[in-house]
Amino acid sequence: MNRGSGKSSDETLIEMNRTAWSSGEENNGFHTSSDKESFQLENAAVDKQQQSKDAVYFRDGVRRIDFVLSYIDDKDGEKKQDRRKEFETNLQKAGLDLETEDKSESEDGKTYFLKIHVPWEVLATYADVLKIKVPFKANDIPAKKEVPMGWLFTPYRLPDHVMNPEPDYFTYTFDKSKIDFFLIEDKETLFPPSTRNRIVYYVLSRIPYSKDDKDKKGIKRLLNNGTYTSAFPLHDCRYWAKSRDSNCESERYSLYKHWARFSRFYKEQPLNLIRKYYGEKIGIYFAWLGFYTEMLSYAAVVGLLCFIYGVATFDNNVWSKEICNETIGGQIVMCPLCDKKCGYWKLSTTCSSSWQSYLFDNTATVFFAIFMGIWVTLFLEFWKRRQARLEYEWDLVDYEEEQQQLQLRPEYEIKCTSRRLNNVTQEQEWVLDQTPADKAGRFILCWTTVVLWEMEPYLPLTSKCARSMLSGATVLFWISLIIASIIGVIAYRLAVFAAFASIMKDSPTNKLDVVGSLITPQFATSVTASCINFVIIMILNFLYERVAIKITDMEVPKTHVEYENKLTVKMFLFQFVNYYSSCFYVAFFKGKFVGYPGNYAYMFGEWSGLRNEECEPGGCLIELTTQLVIVMVGKQVWGNIQEALVPWLRNWWVSRSARNHPESLYSRWEQDHDLQTFSQLGLFYEYLEMVIQFGFITLFVASFPLAPLLALMNNILEVRVDAWKFTTQFRRPVAAKAHSIGAWEEILNMIAVFSVVTNAFIVSFTSDMIPRLVYLYAYSPGTELTMAGYINNSLSIFNISGIPVENRPEDGENPDWYDSTNITTCRYRDYRYPSGHEKQYSHTMQFWHILAAKLAFIIIMEHVVFVVKFFVAWLIPDVPSDVKARVKRERYLIQEYLHDYELEKLKIQLSQNAQSIDQCTCPTTGSTPMKVEMLSDCLS
């Protein structure tokens, strides 16, 4: 547990000598300014030319820059000037220190930079308001014993000062009135820069900028209306070199050196340093991404073994040998796959696709589908344990309630004009208003706090329902738009297949040695349709992202958590349909409703001429694999280009004129100003990308066991790309707290349950596994179990004379070998009685046996996997036992130390008031609970 800076001994300020910070008026247990800082401010040199432009301090070299605002003077910018003046005046009233860099000092000669520093008094006040935890005692629980054979992991470990940049403490929520309860060595380093910039942003989001309308407030609105061009906290140094200032932490340099470089892909992540520098919200994302990548390695190994099994048993593929055999597959004439433009064809032309299909459609497929159902449960359960440990180590155990109560969105407070009493607490909300203590109007460090009581803002039920209904209708419209586009792609497949079949029958590509047999009408149709579908997916994503943000803003969520959860649900529903619908079509609809020769099914009716697609004799599994690979890999490649290349190009272009400037002319705030902004929803898109990938490797993994391996390779790169991007290409994000991955956890659980169903159906209805097993054990000829004769058994016979004229191939479409006088029948993939039978063209008993076996397999597989899942979930506790013990130990110590602290304060009060009350003699005892009773007796 790494919880802030302070003394390394067990001594607390309860036991230390209580000397005043400085002489002056006392305010709630501490003074408003230290003598040390006052002295430095009075005597600091202000020669700008002697100060390094890479420094992160004011010109006095003492006050740290906690936040930077930039703006440009417009010719017609009087309103903006008035807003800035009022806003900055109110910032000073709130106790913040401001310093402006004139545009003449900037590299472009037109940008002003407003630097903001948070004095100790403001930090202490808002740390109390935001319930920030600080150390009160060094951790006295013995460290865990080293893992046996731990030396084997030495090459993957980072130095201890990088992995654990802070000492280990027990912590408690900061209380300004109990300042001497906590371990405070230096007020300026008690709160790390990430906490300081979070407090500044909290203030900036709530400061008004209009004298007439108090509802006009917040830096976000000022950025939107162009009053300020940017607002950001500073990186502590350049990423490629340490800071020249010895007082600067140079944590950015450490992160780049040990985390963001691609050569460190095999190293563990310095999560504590990430959390310290960027805040808990970003830290928890990288913890989850790293854990997910680690767990993927196990799934990737098992999937690779299943693929190797398919390669090793390649020669045992009897049905593919029959298809490729010229005396079997070469003599079977198949019925046309489309009307008029498709001719008769021989089964042997699907030889290559049959062999390819076997690599993913074999006995190991069933095992892997079951394994992934259990793996996803283990992943989610072990992540809960890892998350619980991080919650404790990062002081997030009781955070949820605090966040809901204290972190109202400024937009909610502005837009909700109605007020009411809080229904839960029956209390009114309170806000802080800081006013200058000096009657002359001078803004000095001494300031007072006035507590104002206001009614709680709320959104009326009628308005909330109307907004929700409009939002839901918008989401449904866009989902309908996706479905319409998918139907359009299906229509394209049906229309183009006939064209490809006609064009490619005499194509020169058929004569190519290696790939000639692979380029078939089915393959060409599948690949082009998948590519078109991918382009449509990207376009719809681009448009819908903006719509989703607009309608979520319209709903006016109360808290940041509620806002992200609402947006998460909207985006995931859309992305789920957008990315997976084409795969669902190939897996569960293609080839399932085609009819038979003479009675084919059509997509929009027979008038459309768009006959439903058939699967090849080898099944639709190989086409599902193709679809999955194109969409999944295409998304990952495109995502990495967007995440890495685009920011780099933008930064290169923006900083092109400053790249050759020496450090003295290119300040730290200008360097960061030229970087890309990490948006408030930037982390949301990172999660969304990974969760969509998680859906690909779980929902359809039975069709492609190598999907986890592809995801693993992508994620190893993704971790370092994201690290490099955060460290080098983006401004430092405002730190934020998060105790978990939020709504994504529920979405992952939903996908985990749904994946068991989809994989069971893929094995049953998309794969040919069940028909083969039924043939092997019930219909194979002779006494020995053999797959010989399976292909002939799986194809039904139809008399060519029974094909209607409108369905027959046109003249010239049939191949040269076709002789209508000698070939009177054709075959098709189904289990139906032949012509002349009393049940002509109706399903045979084997069809019903296979259907019963498929349904039985689905039920058995689902029950087996679900029972194992629930047993594993019950067996693995969500919170590790040692973490439970530490939480209990900390709560016990908090009670004990608070008791001792209050007891000592009571003794001091009694001694100070001894002259005004009757003298009484109390026995001297140790610091035990009995002292409370004795002091009570004295008081009575």
Side-chain angles (χ1 to χ4, degrees):
M1 175 175 47
N2 306 96
R3 305 181 172 201
S5 59
K7 294 185 179 298
S8 58
S9 66
D10 289 344
E11 185 181 30
T12 67
L13 289 184
I14 298 171
E15 300 153 345
M16 295 172 61
N17 183 24
R18 295 182 183 84
T19 57
W21 292 101
S22 62
S23 59
E25 185 181 358
E26 189 172 306
N27 179 21
N28 289 331
F30 68 93
H31 290 81
T32 57
S33 62
S34 66
D35 287 341
K36 174 183 175 183
E37 183 175 285
S38 299
F39 176 80
Q40 287 175 320
L41 291 177
E42 292 172 2
N43 297 279
V46 294
D47 186 357
K48 292 174 61 179
Q49 300 302 321
Q50 296 179 3
Q51 183 187 14
S52 169
K53 280 299 191 82
D54 198 42
V56 292
Y57 292 91
F58 275 21
R59 297 185 195 122
D60 54 44
V62 177
R63 291 171 293 176
R64 187 186 186 102
I65 301 172
D66 295 308
F67 223 85
V68 174
L69 307 181
S70 68
Y71 61 90
I72 298 175
D73 266 343
D74 298 329
K75 294 181 179 179
D76 302 322
E78 292 185 6
K79 288 185 178 180
K80 295 179 181 179
Q81 289 180 5
D82 293 339
R83 291 187 200 128
R84 282 195 295 267
K85 184 178 180 181
E86 180 66 19
F87 186 68
E88 290 169 18
T89 299
N90 290 331
L91 287 178
Q92 290 178 311
K93 287 181 179 180
L96 302 183
D97 292 344
L98 308 181
E99 184 177 80
T100 302
E101 288 287 330
D102 190 75
K103 64 181 180 180
S104 61
E105 297 290 330
S106 64
E107 181 272 330
D108 61 4
K110 58 182 180 180
T111 304
Y112 292 87
F113 290 95
L114 178 68
K115 298 175 287 185
I116 300 174
H117 168 75
V118 194
W120 163 253
E121 293 82 359
V122 181
L123 282 175
T125 300
Y126 282 97
D128 195 344
V129 171
L130 297 176
K131 304 300 180 185
I132 293 171
K133 292 187 176 182
V134 295
F136 72 93
K137 185 184 185 303
N139 187 357
D140 58 0
I141 298 178
K144 293 175 64 178
K145 295 181 180 179
E146 290 191 7
V147 180
M149 305 294 288
W151 57 270
L152 292 173
F153 301 97
T154 302
Y156 311 106
R157 290 176 178 163
L158 292 172
D160 189 65
H161 73 276
V162 177
M163 287 300 297
N164 302 290
E166 299 173 333
D168 199 359
Y169 292 102
F170 289 119
T171 60
Y172 182 58
T173 50
F174 186 80
D175 189 340
K176 191 174 64 174
S177 64
K178 297 180 175 63
I179 191 69
D180 52 350
F181 174 73
F182 302 99
L183 289 172
I184 303 177
E185 189 175 71
D186 186 349
K187 295 184 298 180
E188 294 305 315
T189 59
L190 175 64
F191 301 106
S194 58
T195 301
R196 296 173 70 100
N197 73 56
R198 184 161 71 93
I199 289 175
V200 177
Y201 190 74
Y202 184 86
V203 176
L204 291 175
S205 300
R206 287 157 175 79
I207 292 294
Y209 58 83
S210 174
K211 293 181 180 179
D212 303 326
D213 188 354
K214 294 300 181 183
D215 287 336
K216 291 184 177 181
K217 58 184 177 181
I219 186 62
K220 189 173 181 180
R221 295 182 70 174
L222 290 173
L223 291 171
N224 290 337
N225 60 33
T227 304
Y228 291 99
T229 56
S230 63
F232 54 92
L234 288 181
H235 284 294
D236 59 5
C237 64
R238 295 166 293 174
Y239 66 85
W240 64 88
K242 286 186 176 181
S243 174
R244 296 181 180 180
D245 191 333
S246 59
N247 294 324
C248 192
E249 301 86 352
S250 296
E251 290 172 350
R252 185 191 188 193
Y253 169 75
S254 296
L255 286 170
Y256 177 73
K257 180 180 178 181
H258 298 286
W259 178 50
R261 295 163 66 184
F262 295 99
S263 59
R264 297 278 178 168
F265 73 92
Y266 61 94
K267 293 284 189 179
E268 60 185 335
Q269 296 187 86
L271 294 177
N272 288 322
L273 185 57
I274 297 169
R275 172 247 182 170
K276 182 184 177 186
Y277 192 75
Y278 290 113
E280 289 79 3
K281 191 171 185 179
I282 291 177
I284 206 82
Y285 163 72
F286 280 103
W288 177 82
L289 179 58
F291 184 80
Y292 170 47
T293 304
E294 181 183 343
M295 290 295 291
L296 266 179
S297 62
Y298 303 107
V301 169
V302 177
L304 182 60
L305 291 176
C306 291
F307 179 76
I308 292 174
Y309 171 83
V311 175
T313 58
F314 207 58
D315 291 337
N316 299 333
N317 185 3
V318 176
W319 51 92
S320 292
K321 290 180 179 179
E322 290 185 348
I323 291 175
C324 298
N325 193 316
E326 287 300 323
T327 60
I328 302 176
Q331 299 300 318
I332 297 178
V333 178
M334 302 296 294
C335 298
L337 294 173
C338 63
D339 296 340
K340 297 183 179 180
K341 295 296 181 181
C342 296
Y344 298 95
W345 53 286
K346 289 185 178 180
L347 182 61
S348 58
T349 57
T350 62
C351 176
S352 297
S353 61
S354 176
W355 284 109
Q356 295 166 22
S357 180
Y358 176 77
L359 295 176
F360 309 110
D361 187 8
N362 52 62
T363 309
T365 300
V366 180
F367 165 78
F368 191 62
I370 296 173
F371 167 81
M372 287 301 293
I374 299 171
W375 173 87
V376 74
T377 303
L378 291 171
F379 163 64
L380 294 174
E381 291 301 317
F382 282 128
W383 166 246
K384 289 178 185 177
R385 291 171 61 84
R386 177 70 172 133
Q387 186 172 265
R389 189 176 297 279
L390 288 175
E391 281 184 28
Y392 172 70
E393 292 177 352
W394 292 357
D395 298 322
L396 301 169
V397 173
D398 302 318
Y399 173 68
E400 178 68 21
E401 182 178 354
E402 299 165 11
Q403 177 161 293
Q404 293 293 341
Q405 291 178 354
L406 298 171
Q407 304 245 352
L408 291 180
R409 295 176 65 241
E411 295 85 353
Y412 180 83
E413 296 175 315
I414 293 169
K415 293 182 180 179
C416 296
T417 56
S418 302
R419 295 289 188 270
R420 69 178 178 187
L421 198 67
N422 191 300
N423 293 328
V424 178
T425 62
Q426 293 297 307
E427 294 178 357
Q428 297 171 334
E429 282 200 337
W430 61 279
V431 296
L432 294 175
D433 182 33
Q434 292 80 30
T435 56
D438 193 340
K439 295 181 180 179
R442 291 175 299 174
F443 300 109
I444 57 177
L445 289 176
C446 296
W447 50 274
T448 58
T449 301
V450 181
V451 179
L452 303 177
W453 296 87
E454 292 186 347
M455 300 295 284
E456 177 190 48
Y458 82 103
L459 194 66
L461 182 62
T462 53
S463 176
K464 185 182 293 185
C465 290
R467 293 168 186 265
S468 298
M469 291 177 64
L470 181 58
S471 174
T474 306
V475 174
L476 288 176
F477 168 78
W478 278 86
I479 290 178
S480 302
L481 191 62
I482 299 172
I483 296 173
S485 68
I486 294 301
I487 293 174
V489 173
I490 295 172
Y492 163 85
R493 299 169 70 107
L494 301 181
V496 168
F497 177 78
F500 275 128
S502 179
I503 294 170
M504 297 179 67
K505 67 178 186 298
D506 298 321
S507 175
T509 58
N510 296 332
K511 300 176 183 179
L512 297 177
D513 293 335
V514 179
V515 298
S517 59
L518 302 179
I519 304 176
T520 62
Q522 292 92 336
F523 178 81
T525 302
S526 177
V527 170
T528 56
S530 298
C531 292
I532 291 172
N533 182 63
F534 177 72
V535 172
I536 292 174
I537 286 173
M538 292 296 104
I539 294 173
L540 290 177
N541 273 348
F542 177 79
L543 298 174
Y544 181 77
E545 283 177 6
R546 286 143 183 80
V547 174
I549 293 172
K550 290 288 185 184
I551 59 178
T552 306
D553 289 338
M554 180 197 66
E555 291 183 69
V556 197
K558 186 174 183 180
T559 65
H560 292 285
V561 171
E562 186 180 346
Y563 181 90
E564 288 195 5
N565 288 347
K566 285 178 177 291
L567 183 61
T568 297
V569 171
K570 292 181 182 66
M571 285 296 295
F572 180 75
L573 283 175
F574 178 85
Q575 300 272 28
F576 186 91
V577 179
N578 200 15
Y579 279 108
Y580 303 144
S581 54
S582 59
C583 293
F584 273 104
Y585 164 73
V586 175
F588 306 123
F589 295 96
K590 182 180 177 181
K592 306 301 185 292
F593 311 99
V594 296
Y596 58 92
N599 188 27
Y600 285 119
Y602 292 82
M603 186 175 181
F604 300 111
E606 194 170 348
W607 61 268
S608 66
L610 298 177
R611 203 173 94 189
N612 288 347
E613 285 185 284
E614 296 184 42
C615 289
E616 294 184 2
C620 278
L621 193 72
I622 190 63
E623 186 169 344
L624 176 59
T625 303
T626 303
Q627 181 79 22
L628 183 65
V629 170
I630 289 176
V631 177
M632 179 179 171
V633 175
K635 182 183 184 304
Q636 292 178 348
V637 171
W638 179 251
N640 286 326
I641 291 174
Q642 278 188 313
E643 290 182 18
L645 187 60
V646 173
W648 181 82
L649 288 174
R650 286 178 176 173
N651 289 335
W652 177 85
W653 179 256
V654 170
S655 63
R656 64 192 184 281
S657 60
R659 281 194 294 273
N660 297 322
H661 288 183
E663 179 187 327
S664 60
L665 297 177
Y666 200 33
S667 62
R668 164 95 336 259
W669 44 90
E670 287 178 290
Q671 293 175 44
D672 285 7
H673 180 264
D674 288 344
L675 296 178
Q676 294 298 300
T677 303
F678 188 76
S679 70
Q680 187 179 3
L681 297 174
L683 211 57
F684 166 82
Y685 294 117
E686 301 291 343
Y687 274 117
L688 182 62
E689 178 186 3
M690 289 295 103
V691 170
I692 293 297
Q693 182 203 81
F694 181 81
F696 278 123
I697 68 164
T698 53
L699 294 174
F700 308 103
V701 75
S703 67
F704 188 48
L706 293 180
L709 181 61
L710 293 179
L712 174 64
M713 292 188 293
N714 174 80
N715 287 9
I716 291 174
L717 181 65
E718 181 78 20
V719 172
R720 304 303 159 178
V721 167
D722 286 349
W724 174 81
K725 179 178 63 178
F726 271 92
T727 309
T728 68
Q729 302 302 309
F730 283 95
R731 296 170 185 165
R732 188 174 185 171
V734 178
K737 276 198 170 186
H739 77 296
S740 68
I741 61 174
W744 299 113
E745 191 167 337
E746 292 302 319
I747 289 174
L748 291 174
N749 282 315
M750 181 195 73
I751 293 175
V753 173
F754 195 41
S755 67
V756 178
V757 179
T758 56
N759 282 302
F761 271 86
I762 287 173
V763 173
S764 292
F765 289 98
T766 310
S767 153
D768 270 358
M769 182 62 60
I770 302 302
R772 291 173 195 153
L773 293 176
V774 170
Y775 175 81
L776 180 65
Y777 291 103
Y779 290 92
S780 61
T783 56
E784 294 183 3
L785 296 178
T786 177
M787 290 299 297
Y790 168 73
I791 290 298
N792 187 64
N793 175 267
S794 65
L795 299 174
S796 297
I797 303 173
F798 193 86
N799 280 343
I800 292 177
S801 59
I803 298 179
V805 175
E806 59 271 16
N807 298 136
R808 292 180 182 177
E810 294 179 347
D811 295 337
E813 296 297 339
N814 286 321
D816 296 336
W817 52 260
Y818 178 74
D819 185 359
S820 59
T821 58
N822 296 326
I823 301 175
T824 58
T825 61
C826 64
R827 311 292 293 273
Y828 61 99
R829 195 170 186 266
D830 208 341
Y831 294 92
R832 295 179 183 271
Y833 291 109
S835 59
H837 195 277
E838 59 180 350
K839 297 180 180 178
Q840 176 176 293
Y841 302 137
S842 62
H843 286 120
T844 64
M845 187 56 64
Q846 186 175 353
F847 169 84
W848 301 109
H849 287 164
I850 291 173
L851 180 61
K854 288 179 177 180
L855 297 177
F857 174 82
I858 291 172
I859 294 171
I860 293 171
M861 178 178 168
E862 287 181 357
H863 280 71
V864 168
V865 175
F866 280 131
V867 167
V868 174
K869 280 168 64 72
F870 291 135
F871 176 73
V872 169
W874 170 81
L875 191 64
I876 302 174
D878 291 346
V879 182
S881 58
D882 64 311
V883 172
K884 288 182 180 178
R886 283 171 174 261
V887 172
K888 291 179 181 178
R889 170 71 175 160
E890 185 171 279
R891 288 174 177 170
Y892 166 76
L893 286 175
I894 289 171
Q895 293 178 352
E896 182 183 29
Y897 273 62
L898 278 175
H899 166 265
D900 291 345
Y901 173 81
E902 296 294 345
L903 198 59
E904 288 192 32
K905 291 201 73 171
L906 185 57
K907 288 173 62 178
I908 294 171
Q909 289 178 0
L910 286 174
S911 63
Q912 291 176 345
N913 298 328
Q915 296 178 356
S916 60
I917 61 174
D918 295 332
Q919 298 292 328
C920 68
T921 304
C922 295
T924 303
T925 60
S927 297
T928 64
M930 292 297 294
K931 290 181 68 178
V932 177
E933 299 175 4
M934 294 174 184
L935 288 172
S936 299
D937 292 338
C938 293
L939 288 172
S940 63

